[in-house]
């Protein structure tokens, strides 16, 4: 089989003969060689060949050559009528790439293929190469494909919507926010979260998911933590109201610095939850949330973000401190004996014991308000 360089050196008439009767690879190479040699004068032969050529691989190459000649009408015909899905896909790709704002027929064909083609590859190609000047009706069709049965089509639709949103300076598109909890592919959801963060849409996404399952919220919050996102208390408050220990621990990592008395009261409440339940079955999640809450308060105190507690805060600080004192007297043996057994390990690390918690609480309490408890 002759390579392209060899075929390109043949006489024009020999190339025409190969284009009509050569093997499939030779017909492809002859088409390219003739196009480079003859330019637009070869257009009628290539158009006829694209419609009568029996081999789909050859037709795909002819689509590319005809796109170079701006033959939108031929590409539209192939996108609609070719029996091979890969040929229709390539035709859609190049219709998108050469389409001009005024090419109404090209946009109609792409919309039609996006809505009705049975091939997922055709639907994907009808989306993936759309330019910024895509008309509104076709953009709406792309948005509808975020629910396509094909993962590749859903990914292409999401990528294109995010691309357009980034170009316009917007955040995460509303259709992706509303679709998020329905998307079954975790990697695609991760990409949406990463893009939401890069576009400044993390608040809108979290607000839209307040009624979602706890697993969905945890998935998003974990990604926010990995992205080092920080949010003000008013954004986190609705999630905190759920009282879920696993979510609470993540919220602490997301809480932005600054004076937020209501957030500090919530942290105290999270810590109280463990000690109020200390006589019940030991719950790792509640314990770690309590530890994290006190560590967070300690860090906020050291950074100067913790304002002087109001009356409610004072009451809760005293309540928690007294609960810890009582816990030492009535539950120290129960908890530490259970946690120090080799199969359980330590309840808390060696630098964060019950005494360490007590030190934080004493720091939160007004001077002279410490009980004389050893």
């Amino acid at each position: 089989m002759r390579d392209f360089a060899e075929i390109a050196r043949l006489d024009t008439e020999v190339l025409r003969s190969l284009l009509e009767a050569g093997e499939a690879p030779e017909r492809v190479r002859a088409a390219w060689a003739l196009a480079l040699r003859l330019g637009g004068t070869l257009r009628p032969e290539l158009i006829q060949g694209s419609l009568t050529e029996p081999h789909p691989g050859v037709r795909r190459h002819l689509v590319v050559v005809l796109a170079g000649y701006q033959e939108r009408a031929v590409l539209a015909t192939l996108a609609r009528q070719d029996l091979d899905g890969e040929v229709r896909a390539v035709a859609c790709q190049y219709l998108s790439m050469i389409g001009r704002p005024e090419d109404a027929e090209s946009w109609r064909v792409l919309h039609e293929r996006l809505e009705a083609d049975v091939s997922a590859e055709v639907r994907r190609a009808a989306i993936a190469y759309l330019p910024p000047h895509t008309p509104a009706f076709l953009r709406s069709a792309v948005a509808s494909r975020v629910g396509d049965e094909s993962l590749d089509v859903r990914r292409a639709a999401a990528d294109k919507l995010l691309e357009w949103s980034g170009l316009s300076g917007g955040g995460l598109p509303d259709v992706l926010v509303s679709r998020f909890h329905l998307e079954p592919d975790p990697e695609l959801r991760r990409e949406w979260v990463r893009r939401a963060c890069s576009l400044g849409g993390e608040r809108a996404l979290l607000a839209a998911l307040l009624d979602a399952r706890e697993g969905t919220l945890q998935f998003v919050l974990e990604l926010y933590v990995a992205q080092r996102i920080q949010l003000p208390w008013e954004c986190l408050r609705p999630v905190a109201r759920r009282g879920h220990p696993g979510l609470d621990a993540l919220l602490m990592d997301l809480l932005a610095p600054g004076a937020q008395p209501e957030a500090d009261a919530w942290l105290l409440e999270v810590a109280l939850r463990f000690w109020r339940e200390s006589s019940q079955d030991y719950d790792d999640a509640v314990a770690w949330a309590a530890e994290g809450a006190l560590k967070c308060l300690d860090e906020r105190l050291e950074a100067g973000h913790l304002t002087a507690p109001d009356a409610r805060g004072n009451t809760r600080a005293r309540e928690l401190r007294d609960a810890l004192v009582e816990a030492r007297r009535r539950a120290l043996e129960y908890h530490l004996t259970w946690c120090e057994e080799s199969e359980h390990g330590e309840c808390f690390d060696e630098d964060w014991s019950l005494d360490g918690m007590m030190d934080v609480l004493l720091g939160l309490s007004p001077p002279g308000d410490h009980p004389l408890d050893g």
Side-chain angles (χ1 to χ4, degrees):
M1 184 69 65
R2 290 173 288 190
D3 61 20
F4 178 76
E6 184 178 356
I7 287 179
R9 291 193 294 267
L10 298 175
D11 291 339
T12 299
E13 292 307 313
V14 176
L15 289 175
R16 290 183 189 274
S17 176
L18 282 178
L19 182 61
E20 293 181 2
E23 297 292 330
E26 291 178 325
R27 294 201 299 278
V28 169
R29 292 162 187 163
W32 280 106
L34 285 168
L36 291 171
R37 183 178 298 177
L38 302 179
T41 61
L42 185 66
R43 192 177 303 186
E45 295 174 68
L46 294 178
I47 292 174
Q48 180 62 27
S50 69
L51 300 176
T52 59
E53 166 60 48
H55 195 287
V58 178
R59 295 200 300 278
R60 290 199 300 272
H61 279 272
L62 293 176
V63 166
V64 179
V65 177
L66 289 169
Y69 292 140
Q70 303 291 305
E71 285 290 343
R72 297 177 185 81
V74 182
L75 267 59
T77 298
L78 292 168
R80 277 177 166 150
Q81 299 178 7
D82 199 283
L83 298 179
D84 185 82
E86 292 187 8
V87 175
R88 297 197 304 276
V90 173
C92 287
Q93 172 185 340
Y94 281 92
L95 270 181
S96 298
M97 294 172 69
I98 67 175
R100 295 177 298 194
E102 66 272 17
D103 290 335
E105 179 63 12
S106 296
W107 305 128
R108 278 195 295 270
V109 170
L110 291 168
H111 182 272
E112 174 189 301
R113 293 299 89 205
L114 184 55
E115 291 288 299
D117 205 291
V118 296
S119 167
E121 176 56 23
V122 174
R123 299 197 301 275
R124 188 202 66 80
I127 295 171
Y129 302 94
L130 290 171
H133 55 262
T134 298
F137 77 95
L138 187 49
R139 287 180 178 237
S140 296
V142 171
S144 72
R145 290 295 104 190
V146 298
D148 196 278
E149 63 184 21
S150 165
L151 173 59
D152 289 340
V153 176
R154 297 199 305 274
R155 180 176 287 113
D159 287 347
K160 186 56 62 175
L161 292 172
L162 288 165
E163 176 189 321
W164 288 334
S165 180
L167 290 173
S168 64
L172 193 69
D174 290 343
V175 66
L176 296 187
V177 173
S178 60
R179 170 74 191 175
F180 185 88
H181 68 287
L182 299 174
E183 172 53 51
D185 184 71
E187 186 52 44
L188 188 53
R189 283 187 284 142
R190 287 189 189 93
E191 179 59 24
W192 292 1
V193 172
R194 286 191 288 266
R195 293 296 295 272
C197 294
S198 69
L199 294 170
E202 60 271 10
R203 296 190 188 190
L205 178 59
L206 184 59
L209 296 176
L210 292 179
D211 294 328
R213 297 187 301 270
E214 287 171 351
T216 299
L217 273 174
Q218 185 165 343
F219 179 91
V220 172
L221 295 180
E222 287 173 349
L223 291 173
Y224 280 12
V225 171
Q227 295 283 320
R228 300 183 182 276
I229 298 296
Q230 289 191 313
L231 296 170
W233 172 246
E234 57 265 24
C235 294
L236 304 177
R237 183 193 299 115
V239 182
R241 287 174 180 160
R242 291 190 175 215
H244 186 279
L247 298 180
D248 289 343
L250 294 167
L251 294 179
M252 295 170 203
D253 289 331
L254 297 171
L255 183 61
Q260 302 183 74
E262 187 178 344
D264 300 331
W266 167 73
L267 288 166
L268 286 167
E269 179 61 33
V270 172
L272 268 174
R273 190 184 303 148
F274 173 67
W275 299 107
R276 284 171 175 164
E277 299 174 3
S278 62
S279 62
Q280 302 173 16
D281 290 339
Y282 185 81
D283 187 324
D284 280 336
V286 174
W288 294 124
E291 179 189 3
L294 285 166
K295 284 186 175 181
C296 189
L297 282 169
D298 191 28
E299 292 168 359
R300 289 169 63 74
L301 184 65
E302 288 293 323
H305 299 317
L306 206 62
T307 58
D310 56 16
R312 181 186 178 197
N314 280 332
T315 298
R316 292 202 167 193
R318 285 197 301 270
E319 182 183 357
L320 181 55
R321 188 195 61 234
D322 293 343
L324 279 171
V325 172
E326 178 62 21
R328 283 170 131 190
R329 286 196 285 258
R330 67 180 173 81
L332 185 60
E333 181 177 357
Y334 170 79
H335 282 293
L336 295 188
T337 299
W338 190 90
C339 292
E340 288 174 351
E341 293 175 2
S342 59
E343 63 268 30
H344 299 303
E346 295 287 347
C347 284
F348 306 107
D349 64 58
E350 59 184 9
D351 296 324
W352 200 260
S353 60
L354 288 170
D355 290 329
M357 293 186 188
M358 183 67 75
D359 289 340
V360 175
L361 291 166
L362 293 177
L364 293 173
S365 304
D369 195 32
H370 304 159
L372 300 175
D373 186 283

